[in-house]
Amino acid sequence: MSVRIVVVDAFTDVPFAGNPAAVCLLEEPRPEKWLRDVAREMNLSETAFLVPRNGDFDLRWLTPTVEVDLCGHATLASAHVLWQDGHLPVDERARFHTRSGLLTAERRGDWIELDFPVKIATAEEPPPALLPALGVASPVAVARNAFDYLVEVASEGELRALTPDHTALRRIAVRGVIVTARAAMPSIDFVSRFFAPASGIDEDPVTGSAHAALAPYWAARLGKPEMTGYQASTRGGQVRVRMHGDRVILGGQAITVMRTTLLV
């Protein structure tokens, strides 16, 4: 028996940018060990596993080392594959049952909009090892939500120049660390980077779930309910955000770069 896997670059409209995710659509649930083995074999920041459920889909996200509770780019990639490969009509909303509840995706022209829960980060004193591990001497602010620390630095230049100690960050008991700053680019409102060595990913290229925290943070700072963020990793990617009560709408584009067959 073989399984088809599609690799999609998410939060970009050009290949080899954004964040790559593997999307694996299954006919029925597979054993836990098999899922983990496949995610490790794909060796991308996330592999998404989809199983049909009465017109909806069960969705799980696994890094090469752990299963995560919320992932934006692999959800975006999953919706893209469902429409592109004819599993859903292009005008039909994709509905995903996940560890973070029901998530939906809709087509908006060349863009896909994800409806995600807001993950507000509140001010918190950082653990002693955090700022030295990041190489940040004087943060503008430090906050934390259920998943991550959020650290604002003074400028986009400082953010881009960071070279964190990933070994030290791996010892901090959180999913990851979001570093953010006001954007220097006129068409962008804020920039960010995301480090998650404790989850098996030293630096994630573009992190949709981090924008569920960045959106309310910068909406309060800038007084704007709609903004555009840019994740300034080596690959880079753009995320549109729009506040909607206790939800945030994340907008991104996606492009298929590979189709492969897993022989099992």
Side-chain angles (χ1 to χ4, degrees):
M1 174 179 163
S2 61
V3 175
R4 296 288 290 169
I5 295 179
V6 183
V7 178
V8 175
D9 286 343
F11 293 114
T12 181
D13 62 348
V14 295
F16 315 127
N19 200 352
V23 179
C24 183
L25 181 59
L26 303 168
E27 295 180 0
E28 58 186 16
R30 301 298 298 268
E32 189 79 17
K33 182 179 184 303
W34 186 89
L35 300 181
R36 294 183 180 278
D37 286 345
V38 171
R40 187 170 61 250
E41 187 75 11
M42 296 308 298
N43 199 34
L44 298 173
S45 59
E46 302 287 349
T47 298
F49 296 94
L50 294 159
V51 179
R53 186 213 276 196
N54 300 321
D56 296 353
F57 295 87
D58 291 325
L59 172 58
R60 296 173 66 177
W61 312 281
L62 280 80
T63 78
T65 60
V66 298
E67 183 169 4
V68 299
D69 291 329
L70 187 64
C71 177
H73 86 278
T75 305
L76 186 79
S78 296
H80 171 78
V81 169
L82 291 177
W83 291 316
Q84 184 179 65
D85 291 359
H87 302 291
L88 276 180
V90 294
D91 59 349
E92 186 173 327
R93 177 184 296 176
R95 292 167 51 90
F96 302 109
H97 299 272
T98 77
R99 288 168 66 156
S100 288
L102 178 66
L103 308 177
T104 63
E106 295 186 72
R107 288 282 296 271
R108 294 284 186 265
D110 293 335
W111 289 70
I112 297 171
E113 289 191 343
L114 307 177
D115 185 335
F116 267 39
V118 166
K119 295 295 179 182
I120 293 174
T122 56
E124 182 170 307
E125 190 70 22
L130 177 60
L131 298 180
L134 287 174
V136 174
S138 301
V140 175
V142 178
R144 183 178 179 176
N145 63 17
F147 295 154
D148 310 308
Y149 278 102
L150 188 156
V151 178
E152 183 186 350
V153 296
S155 70
E156 180 176 329
E158 181 180 353
L159 177 138
R160 289 179 178 271
L162 291 177
T163 55
D165 180 340
H166 296 298
T167 300
L169 283 180
R170 192 172 291 115
R171 301 189 189 105
I172 297 172
V174 289
R175 181 188 71 160
V177 181
I178 308 162
V179 184
T180 188
R182 290 177 186 256
M185 299 172 278
S187 60
I188 304 295
D189 294 289
F190 61 87
V191 293
S192 65
R193 293 173 69 185
F194 185 77
F195 307 106
S199 299
I201 308 156
D202 284 350
E203 180 168 3
D204 197 37
V206 192
T207 315
S209 61
H211 286 75
L214 289 163
Y217 181 82
W218 284 109
R221 296 275 277 129
L222 302 177
K224 298 173 66 174
E226 297 187 31
M227 296 163 290
T228 300
Y230 182 79
Q231 194 152 329
S233 65
T234 302
R235 292 173 64 100
Q238 191 174 115
V239 185
R240 294 176 180 173
V241 299
R242 183 173 78 249
M243 296 299 299
H244 186 65
D246 63 351
R247 310 288 292 183
V248 58
I249 308 302
L250 307 176
Q253 295 174 286
I255 183 168
T256 297
V257 294
M258 186 185 303
R259 298 180 186 275
T260 187
T261 301
L262 179 68
L263 304 176
V264 293

